Amino acid sequence: MNQKSAFSSQTVLALVVMAVAAVCRYFKLGLDDQTVNDIAYLAIQAACSVWAFFAHARAEASQPTALTFFGMALQLAPHVQKVADDLSKAAPSSPTPAEPVDPSQPTPAGATTPSIGATAGALLLCLAMGLGLTGCAAKGITADQDFATTSYKAMSTAGIAYDAAMQTAGVMYGKGQITDAQRDKIIAYGNAFRGAYMLSQTALEQYVKLGSTDATLQAQAVQALADMVGRLGELKGYVDDITTATQGGK
Amino acid sequence: METAIIIEALELAAKVGVPAVQAAIAAFNKESVTLDDIKALKALVQPAESYFPANSASATKEA
């Protein structure tokens, strides 16, 4: 990792953590220190994994380094979903104001909503992806080829993660470790991901076919990719929960 | 440093399988992608139903 890429990644980390802190303050989530720390940690993981995709595409990171971060990316989605679920449960009944992360900033008034947790989780990923894309653009890289390549790598990664999760679920179902109801839910999550994945593929194909640097087409593809990552998080989180429960019950 | 990377790669292989890691490395090795590469992404994910055997032994009901 050279000095320039290290600086870029540090900048991304700082921005993501600051954004999380701002979200927590703004919505007055009433989070305890541990939860805030968890969110910051996950934000760092998110930034690292997304940075790896784009840094490797720019030849700023070696393959093993990118692979290391890729491992973190695979682990990230279910944890984000878990924190998002915790926030969804905690937010409506939070009796205390949020723990200020930065005392120098005022805490604006704001009401919480039950969906804010899930929104925060999705926001982390979208923000990290957006920052990564912005970083590429800022470096003057040919937009279409770089975007197509990095998006292809992201989709390949997601497809592999989906396949691994579904194969695990299939084996567990075959052993009777997953109920029919759980199987139906996994199938629903899986098909939701597959739908988002196909939309991303179509958006990316359109983008490459037109050979375009059109910002609208690129924005559509980014949106589709972000949705796909969110769906993958739901699926992997659910399968991981079942796997953990099964292992704990033995 | 290299030891840590190897351990990380092994952990990853244990989680998702060696073929999956090889596929990931192949994807990372691509310097550029073509339209055919992107079209091939469609075949990477199968319908969720196809992962579950039709006549499974699972008979447990949801609590």
Side-chain angles (χ1 to χ4, degrees):
Chain A
M1 187 189 309
N2 62 31
Q3 196 173 4
K4 187 169 66 174
S5 66
F7 174 78
S8 300
S9 59
Q10 290 297 322
T11 305
V12 171
L13 296 186
L15 285 171
V16 171
V17 173
M18 284 166 59
V20 171
V23 168
C24 292
R25 277 202 309 275
Y26 181 80
F27 289 100
K28 298 180 72 175
L29 291 177
L31 306 176
D32 57 28
D33 287 344
Q34 184 59 46
T35 306
V36 172
N37 287 341
D38 285 348
I39 293 172
Y41 174 71
L42 291 171
I44 288 170
Q45 276 202 318
C48 282
S49 56
V50 175
W51 167 81
F53 285 124
F54 293 99
H56 182 64
R58 294 182 307 216
E60 288 179 354
S62 66
Q63 177 184 305
T65 305
L67 187 63
T68 301
F69 285 109
F70 166 64
M72 295 169 69
L74 278 185
Q75 298 172 45
L76 169 69
H79 292 296
V80 168
Q81 190 62 38
K82 184 176 183 305
V83 171
D85 289 344
D86 290 346
L87 291 177
S88 295
K89 290 170 190 167
S93 58
S94 296
T96 56
E99 189 75 24
V101 178
D102 180 1
S104 64
Q105 298 291 324
T107 304
T112 60
T113 63
S115 63
I116 185 58
T119 306
L123 179 65
L124 287 181
L125 291 171
C126 294
L127 181 65
M129 291 185 76
L131 285 170
L133 289 172
T134 306
C136 285
K139 287 178 179 293
I141 294 168
T142 308
D144 55 347
Q145 186 55 53
D146 182 66
F147 177 75
T149 305
T150 50
S151 299
Y152 171 84
K153 290 175 180 178
M155 288 194 66
S156 294
T157 306
I160 290 165
Y162 165 81
D163 192 55
M166 294 304 291
Q167 282 190 25
T168 301
V171 169
M172 290 176 70
Y173 182 70
K175 291 179 180 174
Q177 295 172 332
I178 287 180
T179 66
D180 288 341
Q182 287 172 326
R183 176 204 58 187
D184 291 344
K185 199 164 180 181
I186 290 170
I187 288 174
Y189 280 134
N191 283 332
F193 164 79
R194 190 165 178 267
Y197 179 93
M198 291 302 179
L199 278 178
S200 297
Q201 192 274 339
T202 305
L204 190 57
E205 191 176 321
Q206 279 295 111
Y207 182 83
V208 173
K209 263 183 186 170
L210 296 176
S212 173
T213 55
D214 187 320
T216 306
L217 276 177
Q218 191 166 348
Q220 286 172 352
V222 169
Q223 177 62 44
L225 284 166
D227 185 45
M228 178 194 74
V229 171
R231 300 291 183 180
L232 180 64
E234 291 173 351
L235 170 67
K236 275 187 62 62
Y238 189 65
V239 172
D240 285 351
D241 283 348
I242 294 173
T243 307
T244 304
T246 303
Q247 289 170 346
K250 282 183 180 176
Chain B
M1 178 64 181
E2 288 200 356
T3 306
I5 291 168
I6 291 169
I7 291 172
E8 187 74 31
L10 288 174
E11 285 180 357
L12 192 58
K15 281 177 190 166
V16 301
V18 172
V21 173
Q22 286 175 329
I25 290 172
F28 270 104
N29 271 337
K30 281 192 177 293
E31 295 288 330
S32 62
V33 294
T34 65
L35 189 58
D36 288 339
D37 288 329
I38 291 168
K39 283 180 177 174
L41 284 172
K42 273 186 179 176
L44 194 60
V45 298
Q46 305 301 317
E49 292 85 352
S50 67
Y51 290 90
F52 295 93
N55 53 350
S56 169
S58 175
T60 317
K61 294 298 173 191
E62 182 80 11

